[in-house]
Amino acid sequence: MNINNDYDIIVIGAGHAGCEAALAAARMGFSTAMFTMNIDTIGQMSCNPAIGGLAKSHLVKEIDALGGEMAKITDKAGIQFKILNRSKGPAVWATRVQADRALYRKFMREAVEAQDGLDIRQESVEEILVQKGHVTGIKTTAAVYRAKILIIATGTFLKGLVHIGPESCPSGRAGEPPSINLSESLGNLGLKIGRLKTGTPPRIVKNTIDFSVMEIQGGDMPPPAMSLFTKEIRNPQLPCFITYTNEGTHKTIVDNLKYSPLYSGKITGTGPRYCPSIEDKVVKFKDKLRHQVFLEPEGIDSDEYYANGISTSLPYEVQIKLVQSIRGLENAVISKPGYAIEYDFVFPTQLKPSLESKLIQGLFLAGQINGTSGYEEAAAQGLVAGINAALKLKNRDPFVLGRHEAYIGVLIDDLVTKGTKEPYRMFTSRAEYRLLLRQDNADLRLMEKGYNLGLIDKRHLNALLKKKSAIASELKRIRHTRIKPKIINPVLKEVGGSPIKEDTTLYQLLKRPEVKYINIAKASPPGNGLSQEVINQVEIQTKYKGYVKRQAELAEKFKKIEEKIIPAGFIYRGINGLSKEIVEKLEEVRPLNLGQAGRIPGVTPAAISLLMIAVARQGRK
C-alpha cells in the first residue's frame, strides 16, 4: 500500500472498465490507485449474470489476447458455456457464459488485490483537480490525492436515479449511493453531459419456479473456455430455462402503463434500443403474442434466478402480477424487483481515439460514462484507457486499434467519431471486416501487440508463434499432398460428397462444404498430432480463403485512407465548398485522418474530396 497520496494513475470506479484499466496501468509499471465507494462490489455484475454472446464474445477474447482479465475471471466463475450460431459462418460464432455472480466478484477482487503496484481505496470522489488544462489529482470526502493521469469509469453512478413505479430515489445501483458531485465537477470542466437510462428485470426465488413446464437450455460439453489461457473448467454446469409472456401478461402491462415512469414522463434519459423494457416491447410490438423470458441462475449456491427479457420499472405489486401471469411462474416470489436507472454520461465525441479527453490533458474516460451498454464494451474501453494512460506517461504514441484490426477498434471508433445518444451495444453488423475479426483468431490478430505492450509474457508469445507455425505447416502440407480416388472416395461417400476421378490435393477436398478436416486427416494424417485450435484454423482458412482474401484487400485500401493524416490544429473554416454544418462537425470530432473524417455522420464524400485537396495543399506549403 502506498502510504503517500501521490500516484501516477488514479482510476475512479471498480466495475468492469475500472478493473481492466487499473490492472493494465499497474502491469505496465505505474503506481495506480483504484477508488470505489464499496470494496465489496468490485467486479459487480449489476445486470444479467452472463458474459459474451453475439459480438460481445469477440470483445472479451480480444481483451484476453491483449492481456486483460475478463475472460480468465469468466472461466473461473462460469456455470454454463455455449457457442452460439454454430450453424452459421465462423464470423458470427460467439461464446456465451453464464457466470456465478458471487464467484465473479470474488475472483476479480482477488485479481486486483494481488496486483503489485495497485492500491484499492474505499472513498467517494467529489472533485477532479485540474491546473492549466491538465489533471493534477482528485478530492475525496477524506483527502486530496495527486496523480498525473485520471481514468473515470463510474458506470451508472453519475447522478444515478432509480425508478420503481412512481417511487424514485438517488442511487448508483439499487441499494448503493450515487455520485452527485463528480458529475457536476465534469460539467464545470466544460464537458458536455447527457442522460441515459437502462434497467433490470425482477429476480425470482428458485424454489417458487415450476421448471418442469419450461424449455431447458443446457450448455456445451465439454465447456468451451472463454480465455486462451484456461486449461480446465472446474465449476458444476447448470441449465437455463425458457418460458414466454402471454396475452394476460401483456394486458397487465397495458392496464398499468400509467404507473410506468417510462410512460408517465418521469424518466427523461434515453433507453437502450436493442434491450428494451417489457413495457416497450408490448407497446411497440403489438402484433407479437408472446416474448421470450430466459431464466438464468445467479450462481451455484444462489436461490435467485434472473428473469432476462422482462426488464421493467412498473410498481412492485404490478411486477408480481406480471410475473405470476407467465407459465411456470404462477407461484413465483420476487426476491428483488426490477427497476430503471437514469444516469449521466459524457458525449464520447469529446474524446480522442485513445479515450483521453480533448479538453483536459491526462483525463481518460471508459465504460458506461461514454454511453455504452454492457460489461464487455466497458471492459474493452477500460483496458484501452489503462494502456494509453501508461503509454502517455512513457511518452509513447497511443495504442489505437483500427476497424480492420479488432472489434475494440470498431467500438471506440464508433464512439469517438459518430457519438451516441442512446446506450451503445456491439453487434457483428457494426464491423465491416467481420470475417477477418472472428473470435477464433483473436490471439493471431492481437497477442503480439499485447506482448509489445508488456501485458503478455514471453511463454505465451512463444506458444502463439508455435501455433502459427503449425497452422502454416499444415496448410502447406494439404496444398501439396495429393490423394488417390480409391483412398478418399469411401470417405467422401460417408459424408455425402461426390467421388473424385483423379488424384486431388487435400486442400481442394477440404474446400468442399461437406468435408471436414477430420475426414481428410482420416485418409491422410499429418506427421505430428495437431491441437484442435490448429485444426480449426486450418479448416476455416481453407474454406473461407476467397472471402477472407477479398475482405483483406478491402482492409488494405481502408488502411491507406487511414494513413492520410489530418494535421493537429488543422483549420477547416475557409475551405471552399464545405458547408457550415460540415465544418462544425469536423471541428467537434477533430478527426485524425481522412478515413475517420469520412465516418462522421453528415460528412459527405464530396466534402472528403475537398478536404483531401486542402490537406495536400497544406502539406506542400
XYZ file of all heavy atoms in Angstrom, residues 136-229:
687
model
N -4.431 17.087 -12.155
C -3.425 17.047 -11.093
C -3.808 16.104 -9.958
O -2.976 15.776 -9.120
C -3.189 18.450 -10.497
O -4.429 18.949 -9.969
C -2.654 19.406 -11.555
N -5.078 15.675 -9.932
C -5.466 14.754 -8.873
C -6.967 14.780 -8.634
O -7.746 15.228 -9.484
N -7.363 14.311 -7.454
C -8.780 14.264 -7.083
C -8.946 14.680 -5.633
O -8.007 14.614 -4.830
C -9.382 12.852 -7.267
C -8.610 11.827 -6.403
C -9.402 12.445 -8.723
C -9.278 10.462 -6.320
N -10.166 15.095 -5.324
C -10.524 15.373 -3.934
C -11.636 14.423 -3.546
O -12.651 14.321 -4.228
C -10.989 16.820 -3.796
C -11.360 17.214 -2.363
C -11.825 18.658 -2.318
C -12.224 19.060 -0.901
N -12.733 20.455 -0.850
N -11.437 13.669 -2.459
C -12.465 12.762 -1.954
C -13.086 13.371 -0.697
O -12.719 14.465 -0.279
C -11.873 11.382 -1.614
O -11.096 11.481 -0.405
C -10.996 10.861 -2.738
N -14.011 12.650 -0.116
C -14.614 13.118 1.131
C -13.604 13.119 2.273
O -13.830 13.757 3.301
C -15.800 12.208 1.510
O -15.386 10.844 1.413
C -16.987 12.446 0.599
N -12.463 12.393 2.067
C -11.493 12.252 3.148
C -10.192 13.014 2.921
O -9.554 13.455 3.875
C -11.175 10.765 3.359
N -9.754 13.139 1.656
C -8.422 13.680 1.425
C -8.265 14.131 -0.023
O -9.154 13.952 -0.859
C -7.365 12.610 1.755
N -7.095 14.713 -0.284
C -6.701 15.065 -1.659
C -5.627 14.087 -2.102
O -4.680 13.791 -1.359
C -6.174 16.522 -1.732
C -5.521 16.795 -3.092
C -7.307 17.509 -1.481
N -5.783 13.546 -3.325
C -4.799 12.620 -3.891
C -4.267 13.213 -5.188
O -5.042 13.685 -6.033
C -5.437 11.255 -4.175
C -5.882 10.528 -2.927
C -7.134 10.772 -2.361
C -5.049 9.607 -2.302
C -7.546 10.120 -1.214
C -5.448 8.941 -1.154
C -6.694 9.202 -0.617
O -7.093 8.548 0.531
N -2.953 13.178 -5.350
C -2.340 13.725 -6.550
C -2.042 12.610 -7.551
O -1.686 11.495 -7.167
C -1.051 14.470 -6.194
C -1.300 15.775 -5.442
C -0.016 16.369 -4.890
N 0.527 15.539 -3.820
C 0.166 15.620 -2.548
N -0.784 16.486 -2.184
N 0.703 14.848 -1.635
N -2.199 12.924 -8.824
C -1.914 11.940 -9.880
C -1.622 12.669 -11.180
O -2.066 13.798 -11.403
C -3.100 10.998 -10.071
N -0.862 11.998 -12.044
C -0.542 12.565 -13.364
C -1.635 12.244 -14.388
O -1.830 12.968 -15.347
C 0.797 11.997 -13.847
C 1.965 12.313 -12.909
C 3.164 11.434 -13.233
C 4.254 11.628 -12.183
N 5.352 10.652 -12.343
N -2.321 11.115 -14.147
C -3.363 10.655 -15.066
C -4.583 10.236 -14.248
O -4.453 9.613 -13.192
C -2.897 9.429 -15.894
C -1.647 9.766 -16.717
C -4.032 8.928 -16.794
C -1.890 10.575 -17.954
N -5.772 10.536 -14.771
C -7.013 10.125 -14.119
C -7.891 9.396 -15.134
O -8.106 9.892 -16.244
C -7.751 11.356 -13.586
C -9.121 11.130 -12.956
C -9.021 10.223 -11.748
C -9.756 12.471 -12.573
N -8.371 8.211 -14.753
C -9.300 7.449 -15.595
C -10.632 7.358 -14.858
O -10.690 6.852 -13.735
C -8.769 6.026 -15.883
C -7.409 6.087 -16.579
C -9.766 5.240 -16.740
C -6.721 4.734 -16.710
N -11.690 7.853 -15.486
C -13.013 7.806 -14.857
C -13.810 6.669 -15.480
O -14.013 6.623 -16.691
C -13.763 9.137 -15.025
C -12.927 10.282 -14.442
C -15.117 9.078 -14.335
C -13.589 11.639 -14.546
N -14.249 5.745 -14.629
C -15.018 4.570 -15.081
C -16.140 4.324 -14.078
O -16.151 3.317 -13.365
C -14.099 3.357 -15.183
N -17.088 5.243 -14.049
C -18.079 5.285 -12.968
C -19.381 4.548 -13.269
O -20.298 4.565 -12.446
C -18.403 6.752 -12.634
O -18.607 7.467 -13.856
C -17.266 7.391 -11.867
N -19.501 3.928 -14.441
C -20.705 3.161 -14.739
C -21.962 4.019 -14.707
O -22.019 5.087 -15.315
N -22.973 3.571 -13.968
C -24.257 4.283 -13.894
C -24.360 5.158 -12.642
O -25.461 5.554 -12.253
C -25.423 3.275 -13.897
O -25.294 2.420 -12.746
C -25.429 2.437 -15.149
N -23.217 5.474 -12.014
C -23.260 6.145 -10.719
C -23.367 7.668 -10.804
O -23.694 8.320 -9.814
C -22.039 5.757 -9.876
C -22.199 4.445 -9.170
C -22.147 3.255 -9.871
C -22.445 4.386 -7.812
C -22.308 2.036 -9.239
C -22.613 3.173 -7.167
C -22.555 1.997 -7.880
N -23.075 8.273 -11.974
C -23.122 9.729 -12.056
C -24.572 10.212 -12.006
O -25.341 10.017 -12.935
C -22.452 10.222 -13.342
C -20.947 9.999 -13.456
C -20.429 10.598 -14.745
C -20.196 10.584 -12.258
N -24.937 10.820 -10.899
C -26.305 11.298 -10.658
C -27.328 10.198 -10.931
O -28.388 10.441 -11.506
C -26.611 12.540 -11.503
C -25.890 13.798 -11.019
C -26.407 15.040 -11.725
C -25.711 16.286 -11.179
N -26.151 17.506 -11.877
N -26.998 8.971 -10.517
C -27.898 7.843 -10.720
C -29.222 8.034 -9.997
O -29.261 8.510 -8.858
N -30.317 7.679 -10.704
C -31.648 7.805 -10.115
C -32.440 6.552 -10.459
O -32.694 6.259 -11.626
C -32.355 9.045 -10.688
C -33.718 9.402 -10.095
C -33.583 9.795 -8.627
C -34.363 10.542 -10.885
N -32.821 5.777 -9.438
C -33.539 4.515 -9.628
C -35.044 4.756 -9.562
O -35.539 5.496 -8.689
C -33.104 3.482 -8.564
C -34.119 2.356 -8.449
C -31.741 2.903 -8.928
N -35.781 4.118 -10.497
C -37.249 4.248 -10.555
C -37.902 2.877 -10.406
O -37.555 1.936 -11.125
C -37.687 4.823 -11.903
C -37.120 6.169 -12.220
N -37.702 7.346 -11.809
C -36.012 6.525 -12.928
C -36.989 8.371 -12.254
N -35.952 7.896 -12.937
N -38.859 2.769 -9.492
C -39.753 1.609 -9.410
C -41.162 2.177 -9.269
O -41.527 2.707 -8.210
C -39.424 0.691 -8.214
C -37.982 0.189 -8.285
C -40.396 -0.500 -8.182
C -37.558 -0.644 -7.090
N -41.924 2.115 -10.365
C -43.238 2.735 -10.361
C -43.128 4.230 -10.099
O -42.228 4.892 -10.621
N -44.004 4.790 -9.275
C -43.959 6.237 -9.003
C -42.833 6.633 -8.046
O -42.559 7.813 -7.866
C -45.326 6.520 -8.364
C -45.724 5.226 -7.731
C -45.156 4.139 -8.602
N -42.196 5.629 -7.432
C -41.146 5.918 -6.457
C -39.790 6.063 -7.144
O -39.426 5.270 -8.014
C -41.071 4.801 -5.414
C -42.373 4.531 -4.681
C -42.839 5.738 -3.882
O -41.984 6.435 -3.309
O -44.061 5.995 -3.861
N -39.021 7.066 -6.743
C -37.669 7.283 -7.273
C -36.733 7.606 -6.122
O -37.142 8.249 -5.137
C -37.656 8.439 -8.274
O -38.531 8.186 -9.339
N -35.494 7.164 -6.243
C -34.519 7.520 -5.218
C -33.133 7.603 -5.851
O -32.805 6.809 -6.745
C -34.523 6.519 -4.065
S -33.969 4.874 -4.522
N -32.306 8.571 -5.406
C -30.944 8.679 -5.923
C -30.163 7.408 -5.578
O -30.147 6.969 -4.429
C -30.376 9.893 -5.181
C -31.571 10.672 -4.750
C -32.620 9.643 -4.451
N -29.556 6.790 -6.596
C -28.850 5.526 -6.381
C -27.969 5.216 -7.583
O -28.374 5.454 -8.722
C -29.856 4.381 -6.165
O -29.199 3.175 -5.886
N -26.775 4.697 -7.325
C -25.890 4.292 -8.420
C -26.244 2.922 -8.945
O -26.104 2.628 -10.130
N -26.667 2.072 -8.057
C -27.292 0.772 -8.313
C -28.287 0.616 -7.193
O -28.207 1.332 -6.199
C -26.248 -0.364 -8.206
C -25.502 -0.692 -9.460
C -24.635 -1.933 -9.289
N -23.607 -1.808 -8.302
C -22.297 -1.850 -8.569
N -21.875 -1.984 -9.794
N -21.416 -1.758 -7.599
N -29.209 -0.316 -7.308
C -30.180 -0.500 -6.230
C -29.447 -0.737 -4.915
O -28.648 -1.658 -4.798
C -31.096 -1.672 -6.541
N -29.707 0.126 -3.931
C -29.103 -0.044 -2.622
C -27.756 0.627 -2.444
O -27.152 0.530 -1.377
N -27.234 1.328 -3.487
C -25.924 1.978 -3.370
C -26.047 3.458 -3.709
O -26.813 3.844 -4.589
C -24.915 1.310 -4.304
C -24.629 -0.147 -3.926
C -23.559 -0.754 -4.833
O -22.427 -0.253 -4.814
O -23.881 -1.705 -5.552
N -25.273 4.319 -3.028
C -25.396 5.763 -3.255
C -24.839 6.173 -4.612
O -23.912 5.547 -5.130
C -24.558 6.361 -2.117
C -23.550 5.299 -1.791
C -24.272 4.000 -1.985
N -25.401 7.237 -5.204
C -24.891 7.729 -6.489
C -23.711 8.674 -6.273
O -23.370 9.015 -5.140
C -26.082 8.482 -7.053
C -26.739 9.062 -5.834
C -26.549 8.021 -4.738
N -23.105 9.099 -7.365
C -22.055 10.112 -7.320
C -22.637 11.392 -7.907
O -22.903 11.465 -9.103
C -20.834 9.655 -8.120
O -19.835 10.643 -8.098
N -22.872 12.378 -7.061
C -23.500 13.624 -7.498
C -22.445 14.673 -7.847
O -22.437 15.245 -8.934
C -24.439 14.174 -6.401
C -25.494 13.116 -6.005
C -25.090 15.466 -6.869
C -26.442 12.735 -7.104
N -21.525 14.913 -6.924
C -20.567 15.999 -7.095
C -19.589 15.749 -8.238
O -19.149 16.691 -8.888
C -19.793 16.232 -5.791
C -20.692 16.747 -4.683
O -21.743 17.310 -4.953
N -20.298 16.538 -3.440
N -19.253 14.467 -8.480
C -18.305 14.165 -9.551
C -18.873 14.556 -10.910
O -18.170 15.093 -11.771
C -17.928 12.685 -9.526
C -16.895 12.235 -10.556
C -15.603 13.017 -10.422
C -16.617 10.733 -10.407
N -20.162 14.294 -11.109
C -20.803 14.669 -12.360
C -20.771 16.187 -12.541
O -20.495 16.695 -13.638
C -22.249 14.162 -12.383
O -22.865 14.452 -13.609
N -21.049 16.909 -11.470
C -21.023 18.366 -11.537
C -19.606 18.874 -11.815
O -19.414 19.849 -12.564
C -21.570 18.956 -10.245
C -23.063 18.685 -10.067
C -23.607 19.174 -8.739
O -22.790 19.605 -7.890
O -24.838 19.113 -8.549
N -18.598 18.185 -11.265
C -17.202 18.560 -11.499
C -16.842 18.423 -12.972
O -16.172 19.281 -13.547
C -16.273 17.696 -10.641
O -14.918 18.055 -10.835
N -17.316 17.334 -13.601
C -17.056 17.124 -15.035
C -17.711 18.232 -15.864
O -17.119 18.750 -16.809
C -17.586 15.761 -15.473
C -16.778 14.540 -15.031
C -17.579 13.258 -15.260
C -15.458 14.467 -15.789
N -18.947 18.585 -15.502
C -19.642 19.653 -16.206
C -18.941 20.997 -16.039
O -18.829 21.780 -16.991
N -18.438 21.248 -14.841
C -17.732 22.501 -14.574
C -16.435 22.619 -15.371
O -15.962 23.724 -15.647
C -17.426 22.639 -13.079
C -18.685 22.838 -12.241
O -19.713 23.292 -12.759
N -18.623 22.497 -10.968
N -15.868 21.461 -15.744
C -14.644 21.466 -16.556
C -14.928 21.740 -18.024
O -14.004 21.896 -18.824
C -13.910 20.122 -16.419
C -13.279 19.829 -15.054
C -12.732 18.408 -15.008
C -12.168 20.833 -14.753
N -16.207 21.772 -18.384
C -16.578 22.091 -19.756
C -17.009 20.911 -20.598
O -17.276 21.066 -21.793
N -17.102 19.713 -19.992
C -17.524 18.535 -20.748
C -19.040 18.526 -20.916
O -19.787 18.842 -19.979
C -17.076 17.257 -20.037
C -15.567 17.000 -20.055
C -15.200 15.889 -19.094
C -15.086 16.658 -21.453
N -19.500 18.173 -22.106
C -20.926 18.130 -22.397
C -21.516 16.836 -21.847
O -21.036 15.740 -22.163
C -21.149 18.217 -23.910
C -22.606 18.311 -24.326
C -22.731 18.353 -25.848
C -24.187 18.326 -26.278
N -24.315 18.230 -27.760
N -22.534 16.947 -21.017
C -23.126 15.811 -20.311
C -24.519 15.516 -20.866
O -25.292 16.429 -21.149
C -23.242 16.106 -18.793
C -21.903 16.549 -18.202
C -23.792 14.889 -18.043
C -20.843 15.502 -18.151
N -24.843 14.223 -21.009
C -26.175 13.801 -21.415
C -26.784 12.870 -20.386
O -26.211 12.635 -19.319
N -27.945 12.333 -20.700
C -28.683 11.494 -19.752
C -29.159 10.233 -20.459
O -29.770 10.293 -21.535
C -29.879 12.283 -19.224
C -30.532 11.722 -17.973
C -29.796 12.120 -16.743
N -30.550 11.774 -15.527
C -29.965 11.471 -14.379
N -28.652 11.474 -14.268
N -30.691 11.179 -13.319
N -28.867 9.074 -19.889
C -29.287 7.788 -20.439
C -30.056 7.000 -19.389
O -30.065 7.341 -18.203
C -28.080 6.971 -20.911
C -27.293 7.521 -22.104
C -26.110 6.620 -22.402
C -28.171 7.663 -23.331
N -30.682 5.918 -19.858
C -31.474 5.069 -18.973
C -31.231 3.612 -19.307
O -31.051 3.242 -20.465
C -32.960 5.412 -19.125
C -33.924 4.413 -18.493
C -34.584 3.525 -19.550
C -35.433 2.440 -18.893
N -35.956 1.475 -19.889
N -31.182 2.780 -18.296
C -31.171 1.333 -18.503
C -32.007 0.708 -17.384
O -32.598 1.422 -16.577
C -29.731 0.769 -18.527
O -29.765 -0.603 -18.911
C -29.050 0.900 -17.173
N -32.077 -0.609 -17.347
C -32.916 -1.229 -16.319
C -32.633 -2.709 -16.158
O -31.840 -3.290 -16.914
N -33.272 -3.306 -15.178
C -33.106 -4.734 -14.908
C -34.473 -5.372 -14.660
O -35.436 -4.689 -14.302
C -32.219 -4.984 -13.662
O -32.941 -4.580 -12.493
C -30.918 -4.232 -13.732
N -34.561 -6.687 -14.827
C -35.801 -7.393 -14.516
C -35.832 -7.818 -13.048
O -34.822 -7.720 -12.349
C -35.714 -8.621 -15.429
C -34.246 -8.914 -15.483
C -33.563 -7.575 -15.432
N -36.956 -8.324 -12.599
C -37.010 -8.859 -11.235
C -36.200 -10.152 -11.097
O -36.002 -10.874 -12.073
C -38.496 -9.124 -11.011
C -39.099 -9.222 -12.371
C -38.266 -8.379 -13.271
N -35.715 -10.408 -9.879
C -35.086 -11.689 -9.545
C -36.136 -12.545 -8.853
O -36.931 -12.038 -8.053
C -33.894 -11.499 -8.611
C -32.571 -11.232 -9.313
C -32.524 -9.921 -10.037
N -31.140 -9.515 -10.313
C -30.801 -8.411 -10.910
N -31.729 -7.559 -11.333
N -29.534 -8.109 -11.116
N -36.106 -13.847 -9.145
C -37.173 -14.733 -8.675
C -36.579 -15.859 -7.832
O -35.537 -16.427 -8.174
C -37.947 -15.309 -9.880
C -38.565 -14.142 -10.673
C -39.025 -16.277 -9.434
C -39.188 -14.529 -11.969
N -37.256 -16.176 -6.747
C -36.793 -17.223 -5.828
C -36.897 -18.593 -6.509
O -37.957 -18.970 -7.035
C -37.613 -17.208 -4.523
C -37.186 -18.358 -3.600
C -37.450 -15.864 -3.816
N -35.821 -19.336 -6.472
C -35.683 -20.592 -7.215
C -36.782 -21.602 -6.900
O -37.404 -22.171 -7.809
C -34.308 -21.205 -6.911
C -34.040 -22.547 -7.559
C -32.653 -23.053 -7.156
C -32.365 -24.418 -7.735
N -31.009 -24.906 -7.355
N -37.042 -21.856 -5.604
C -37.981 -22.929 -5.253
C -39.453 -22.554 -5.449
O -40.348 -23.315 -5.124
C -37.743 -23.422 -3.812
C -37.963 -22.348 -2.771
O -38.510 -21.287 -3.061
N -37.519 -22.613 -1.543
N -39.695 -21.355 -6.013
C -41.077 -20.979 -6.348
C -41.324 -21.050 -7.860
O -42.367 -20.612 -8.344
C -41.393 -19.559 -5.842
O -40.578 -18.595 -6.550
C -41.130 -19.438 -4.353
N -40.338 -21.581 -8.599
C -40.437 -21.688 -10.064
C -40.760 -23.134 -10.439
O -40.138 -24.070 -9.917
C -39.109 -21.267 -10.734
C -38.739 -19.821 -10.362
C -39.200 -21.406 -12.257
C -37.348 -19.407 -10.799
N -41.685 -23.328 -11.353
C -42.002 -24.672 -11.868
C -41.230 -24.876 -13.183
O -41.700 -24.547 -14.261
C -43.503 -24.803 -12.108
C -43.887 -26.198 -12.604
O -42.986 -27.066 -12.698
O -45.073 -26.420 -12.909
N -40.023 -25.427 -13.057
C -39.170 -25.622 -14.227
C -39.689 -26.721 -15.153
O -39.308 -26.779 -16.323
C -37.746 -25.965 -13.784
C -37.045 -24.863 -13.030
C -36.751 -25.000 -11.675
C -36.675 -23.703 -13.677
C -36.107 -23.990 -10.984
C -36.024 -22.689 -12.994
C -35.738 -22.829 -11.640
N -40.560 -27.597 -14.645
C -40.999 -28.761 -15.418
C -41.805 -28.377 -16.658
O -41.913 -29.158 -17.602
C -41.822 -29.702 -14.536
O -43.056 -29.094 -14.171
N -42.400 -27.174 -16.673
C -43.211 -26.772 -17.827
C -42.437 -25.846 -18.771
O -43.001 -25.278 -19.703
C -44.506 -26.061 -17.359
C -45.359 -27.018 -16.540
C -44.193 -24.788 -16.571
N -41.145 -25.701 -18.521
C -40.318 -24.791 -19.327
C -39.363 -25.570 -20.231
O -39.074 -26.742 -19.990
C -39.502 -23.855 -18.410
C -40.351 -22.959 -17.536
S -39.312 -21.892 -16.508
C -40.558 -21.037 -15.545
N -38.868 -24.878 -21.263
C -37.843 -25.457 -22.129
C -36.504 -25.374 -21.406
O -36.135 -24.317 -20.884
C -37.744 -24.676 -23.445
C -39.016 -24.660 -24.271
C -38.907 -23.702 -25.443
O -37.772 -23.448 -25.918
O -39.955 -23.189 -25.877
N -35.765 -26.465 -21.391
C -34.452 -26.468 -20.751
C -33.382 -26.094 -21.764
O -33.438 -26.499 -22.926
C -34.160 -27.843 -20.099
C -32.894 -27.768 -19.237
C -34.043 -28.944 -21.146
C -32.710 -28.967 -18.321
N -32.439 -25.295 -21.338
C -31.334 -24.858 -22.196
C -30.018 -25.221 -21.517
O -29.587 -24.553 -20.577
C -31.397 -23.348 -22.416
C -32.467 -22.922 -23.392
C -32.014 -23.031 -24.837
O -30.984 -22.513 -25.222
N -32.807 -23.720 -25.644
N -29.399 -26.305 -21.983
C -28.121 -26.728 -21.421
C -26.957 -26.092 -22.157
O -27.112 -25.491 -23.217
N -25.781 -26.240 -21.600
C -24.577 -25.720 -22.230
C -23.885 -26.776 -23.070
O -24.356 -27.911 -23.190
N -22.758 -26.402 -23.672
C -21.958 -27.332 -24.466
C -21.059 -28.150 -23.553
O -20.540 -27.642 -22.551
C -21.083 -26.568 -25.464
C -21.885 -25.847 -26.529
O -23.092 -26.149 -26.652
O -21.325 -24.978 -27.226
N -20.871 -29.392 -23.920
C -19.959 -30.261 -23.177
C -18.972 -30.901 -24.149
O -19.388 -31.434 -25.169
C -20.725 -31.337 -22.412
C -21.619 -30.772 -21.308
S -20.739 -29.803 -20.041
C -19.868 -31.123 -19.197
N -17.659 -30.838 -23.833
C -17.075 -30.123 -22.696
C -17.220 -28.619 -22.871
O -17.325 -28.123 -23.997
C -15.601 -30.549 -22.756
C -15.352 -30.869 -24.191
C -16.628 -31.454 -24.705
N -17.217 -27.883 -21.764
C -17.429 -26.439 -21.846
C -16.311 -25.751 -22.637
O -15.132 -25.979 -22.357
C -17.394 -25.989 -20.375
C -17.664 -27.216 -19.583
C -17.085 -28.346 -20.363
N -16.643 -24.921 -23.642
C -15.628 -24.188 -24.405
C -15.163 -22.953 -23.635
O -15.930 -22.008 -23.436
C -16.366 -23.798 -25.689
C -17.803 -23.716 -25.284
C -18.006 -24.703 -24.180
N -13.929 -22.951 -23.192
C -13.414 -21.861 -22.363
C -13.438 -20.531 -23.119
O -13.296 -20.493 -24.338
C -11.993 -22.173 -21.904
N -13.621 -19.449 -22.378
C -13.584 -18.117 -22.970
C -12.144 -17.643 -23.150
O -11.812 -17.016 -24.147
C -14.345 -17.128 -22.076
C -14.461 -15.727 -22.647
S -15.550 -15.612 -24.079
C -17.148 -15.420 -23.275
N -11.276 -17.972 -22.189
C -9.898 -17.478 -22.225
C -8.961 -18.436 -22.951
O -9.089 -19.663 -22.861
C -9.374 -17.253 -20.808
O -7.995 -16.920 -20.823
N -7.987 -17.865 -23.636
C -6.930 -18.644 -24.286
C -6.080 -19.393 -23.268
O -5.441 -20.391 -23.589
C -6.004 -17.689 -25.055
C -6.615 -16.883 -26.194
C -5.767 -15.654 -26.481
C -6.730 -17.752 -27.424
N -6.063 -18.885 -22.042
C -5.131 -19.385 -21.039
C -5.762 -20.374 -20.060
O -5.099 -20.876 -19.171
C -4.541 -18.196 -20.265
C -4.017 -17.120 -21.168
C -4.694 -15.920 -21.318
C -2.857 -17.311 -21.901
C -4.232 -14.932 -22.175
C -2.369 -16.331 -22.759
C -3.051 -15.142 -22.890
